[in-house]
């Protein structure tokens, strides 16, 4: 999909893909993966997913990537966090608490941008 498609979806509120609860399979299976408690978890195309807060609640610093600044602002607002912004190449880095979201094209991410990652969680990015 072209970037404009996703920007339009967030702008018009056509976000039926956003879940209003933590994904039940994440809750059911995450602990069985034996991911170390302080492992940094990458969440691609994170939107404003509640799954990120669930992961952080289990001690994981969360690094997300998202194209939409609207989704990112809504995520931090719902978490009652004020993010710090910094430009990093073609990305805008939003950071607050244990969360860091890189605004930009996830396919352009590099290890230098994300920093070390020990695990990742993908609910639907591969199908998007």
């Amino acid at each position: 999909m072209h970037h404009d498609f996703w920007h339009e979806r967030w702008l018009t509120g056509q976000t039926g893909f956003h879940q209003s609860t933590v994904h039940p399979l994440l809750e059911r299976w995450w602990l069985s993966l034996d991911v170390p408690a302080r492992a940094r978890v990458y969440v691609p195309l994170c939107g404003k997913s509640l799954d990120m807060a669930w992961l952080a609640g289990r001690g994981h610093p969360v690094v997300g990537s998202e194209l939409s600044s609207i989704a990112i602002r809504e995520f931090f607002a719902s978490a009652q966090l004020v993010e710090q912004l910094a430009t990093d190449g073609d990305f805008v880095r939003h950071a607050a608490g244990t969360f860091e979201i890189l605004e930009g094209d996830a396919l352009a991410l590099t290890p230098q941008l994300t920093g070390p990652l020990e695990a990742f969680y993908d609910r639907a990015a591969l199908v998007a």
Side-chain angles (χ1 to χ4, degrees):
M1 296 284 175
H2 195 271
H3 293 176
D4 291 340
F5 172 83
W6 296 109
H7 288 301
E8 183 69 19
R9 297 289 298 243
W10 282 101
L11 186 63
T12 60
Q14 296 177 13
T15 57
F17 47 83
H18 173 71
Q19 302 294 304
S20 61
T21 60
V22 174
H23 196 288
L25 295 178
L26 173 64
E27 293 178 307
R28 180 175 179 188
W29 295 108
W30 184 259
L31 293 178
S32 71
L33 298 174
D34 292 326
V35 177
R38 295 296 304 154
R40 292 179 81 229
V41 178
Y42 172 57
V43 181
L45 310 184
C46 62
K48 58 180 183 177
S49 174
L50 301 176
D51 298 341
M52 292 188 291
W54 188 90
L55 290 164
R58 270 111 202 111
H60 299 290
V62 175
V63 178
S65 60
E66 174 56 48
L67 196 58
S68 171
S69 62
I70 295 170
I72 297 169
R73 283 194 310 268
E74 288 181 7
F75 171 78
F76 282 105
S78 70
Q80 299 181 345
L81 295 170
V82 177
E83 77 267 34
Q84 300 296 310
L85 304 176
T87 301
D88 198 344
D90 292 335
F91 288 84
V92 176
R93 187 178 302 273
H94 301 251
T98 60
F99 303 102
E100 186 175 344
I101 300 178
L102 294 160
E103 178 187 342
D105 186 341
L107 297 177
L109 283 174
T110 64
Q112 292 76 25
L113 286 166
T114 64
L117 300 169
E118 289 81 29
F120 79 95
Y121 167 71
D122 174 20
R123 184 186 69 82
L126 288 176
V127 297

